[in-house]
Amino acid sequence: MKPKHTFTTAAEALIRDGEARVRLGQNSARLVPDYKDRLRCHCAPFFGDTPLEKIDSAMLRRFRDVLVAKNLKQASVLVVMSFVSKTLRMAHDDGLIKQVPSIPRKGQKPSPRPAFSSAGYEKLLTTLKQVEKGKPSIGFKGNKVDWELRALVTFMVNSFTRPGDVFALKNKHVTIVPQDSEGPSYLRLNAPSSKGHEAPIITMPVAVLIYQRTLERHTKAGFGKSEDFVFLPSKPGRAYAHEVVRRQFRLVLKHADLLASTKGVEHTLYSLRHTAITLRLLHAKDLDLVTLARTARTSVEMIDRYYASGLTAELNRDKLHSFRRPTRFLTDGASALTTKEKAV
């Protein structure tokens, strides 16, 4: 007789809970497909109909070893083990098991997705313009790369958004804040919450023009309404829209010889968010990390650990050597030091 409460039934309950959280706007639409993939590809083949009460730490260690034997990256192993942990914790909360067994984990070293260098980003934009004109024509399953991919790329770099955020963004979430005495016009994005953050995203000024041009084109095509998505509104399935853009973007990167970073790590759509934050860290004047973290829906700790991990103090030495008020060292002191050095 098949046991009533198995790992698979518990995981399916977690997926149903995830579907409810997505409908409530608590998580991005990508959550459920990701959960289903982890169950189908990794967990179900190993655990099958194993009764929940039979799953112990030894079995979980064997499962981890199976994942490692598949040559999964450490980050991927941790993601799958996290899914297992959430499944067992929910089963415990529902009274299906008396306690949650210890989950074998290994500390994850920061492994940020690479950002594009300034030169790399310029090359990407040049390539996108050429591909739009069919030089060469690039596409995925009949979805030819056109103006919209470049619009999405430049929008992400000027709005700090995650891929999940930008595909969930509807016109009703976008407010154009007009120019005032404090500065130029910008967009306020009240996107659905992501990664536990709900605060509005404040964009760079150029994002206003990108959005207006995109909205104008979509309106002419019969979209542009409040409930329509900002990007690829003709594809209501957000997972499919995301996959189309991901594949298109990868093909363009391969054509531009930009697929891998200088360290051999593959660029992805997420690299655009890293590029946005890195460029602000490099070029913004007197921007504090708290403000940047708020608008990028992250934390100062995450910026330091992941986004700024590739930056060195020397890159921002102008800020390091700056002073809030005039100092004698930069006037009389500097000339005196130069004179002394000459004497030596």
Side-chain angles (χ1 to χ4, degrees):
M1 181 178 178
K2 184 178 178 180
K4 183 178 181 181
H5 301 302
T6 67
F7 180 88
T8 299
T9 60
E12 289 171 345
L14 178 67
I15 291 172
R16 288 193 296 274
D17 179 70
E19 290 171 338
R21 284 185 280 128
V22 169
R23 287 194 297 271
L24 291 170
Q26 297 175 350
N27 292 92
S28 73
R30 189 67 216 169
L31 178 74
V32 174
D34 285 347
Y35 274 6
K36 289 182 178 179
D37 284 346
R38 289 162 201 168
L39 176 60
R40 175 177 55 84
C41 297
H42 305 294
C43 298
F46 180 86
F47 293 105
D49 292 327
T50 303
L52 283 172
E53 64 271 15
K54 298 292 184 179
I55 299 175
D56 56 16
S57 296
M59 188 176 191
L60 294 177
R61 287 195 298 272
R62 291 196 301 274
F63 177 58
R64 177 203 57 194
D65 294 342
V66 167
L67 297 177
V68 172
K70 291 181 178 181
N71 292 321
L72 294 182
K73 294 181 179 179
Q74 180 181 200
S76 299
V77 172
L78 288 173
V79 164
V80 176
M81 295 306 297
S82 175
F83 174 73
V84 172
S85 176
K86 290 175 181 177
T87 297
L88 295 176
R89 287 205 308 271
M90 184 170 171
H92 176 264
D93 292 342
D94 291 345
L96 303 182
I97 53 176
K98 294 181 179 179
Q99 64 180 24
V100 178
S102 177
I103 309 292
R105 294 175 185 255
K106 185 178 180 181
Q108 183 180 10
K109 295 180 181 179
S111 56
R113 300 172 180 88
F116 291 99
S117 65
S118 295
Y121 181 57
E122 288 299 323
K123 184 178 181 182
L124 171 61
L125 295 183
T126 299
T127 302
L128 284 168
K129 291 177 183 177
Q130 293 171 345
V131 172
E132 285 176 39
K133 299 174 182 178
K135 302 178 181 178
S137 179
I138 293 176
F140 167 68
K141 288 188 176 180
N143 295 282
K144 183 180 176 181
V145 174
D146 57 15
W147 64 271
E148 195 159 8
L149 181 59
R150 181 160 63 94
L152 186 145
V153 165
T154 52
F155 185 86
M156 286 186 65
V157 171
N158 285 281
S159 65
F160 316 101
T161 47
R162 297 180 175 88
D165 291 334
V166 81
F167 285 104
L169 198 64
K170 294 183 177 181
N171 291 310
K172 69 178 182 180
H173 299 136
V174 182
T175 301
I176 299 177
V177 180
Q179 177 179 346
D180 58 19
S181 59
E182 296 295 321
S185 178
Y186 61 91
L187 299 179
R188 182 188 298 122
L189 309 179
N190 287 292
S193 64
S194 60
K195 301 285 186 178
H197 297 277
E198 297 182 350
I201 298 169
I202 305 305
T203 73
M204 298 297 290
V206 73
V208 176
L209 182 59
I210 298 168
Y211 173 69
Q212 289 175 327
R213 288 178 175 175
T214 301
L215 181 61
E216 182 180 357
R217 291 200 181 207
H218 285 156
T219 300
K220 290 179 179 179
F223 299 99
K225 302 179 184 63
S226 175
E227 286 293 333
D228 287 332
F229 291 104
V230 173
F231 292 102
L232 277 72
S234 62
K235 294 178 171 54
R238 290 291 85 185
Y240 180 66
H242 190 161
E243 182 64 11
V244 167
V245 172
R246 186 186 72 82
R247 295 294 190 95
Q248 289 180 333
F249 188 62
R250 195 173 192 278
L251 290 171
V252 170
L253 291 180
K254 288 181 70 174
H255 174 66
D257 196 25
L258 289 171
L259 187 58
S261 70
T262 55
K263 295 183 178 179
V265 182
E266 190 170 299
H267 284 118
T268 65
L269 283 172
Y270 221 106
S271 298
L272 298 171
R273 171 175 164 84
H274 282 249
T275 301
I277 294 175
T278 301
L279 289 177
R280 286 297 83 207
L281 290 171
L282 284 172
H283 302 303
K285 183 179 180 181
D286 301 325
L287 176 65
D288 63 277
L289 288 184
V290 172
T291 300
L292 181 58
R294 291 285 188 275
T295 196
R297 286 187 164 184
T298 186
S299 65
V300 172
E301 179 187 1
M302 292 297 287
I303 287 179
D304 182 52
R305 187 179 183 192
Y306 289 95
Y307 300 97
S309 61
L311 303 181
T312 64
E314 192 172 6
L315 289 174
N316 276 340
R317 62 185 183 279
D318 57 329
K319 294 182 180 180
L320 178 67
H321 296 161
S322 63
F323 292 85
R324 288 184 177 273
R325 56 179 65 87
T327 172
R328 189 171 62 182
F329 174 76
L330 296 181
T331 53
D332 298 340
S335 60
L337 181 61
T338 304
T339 303
K340 183 177 179 181
E341 287 177 339
K342 288 180 178 179
V344 173

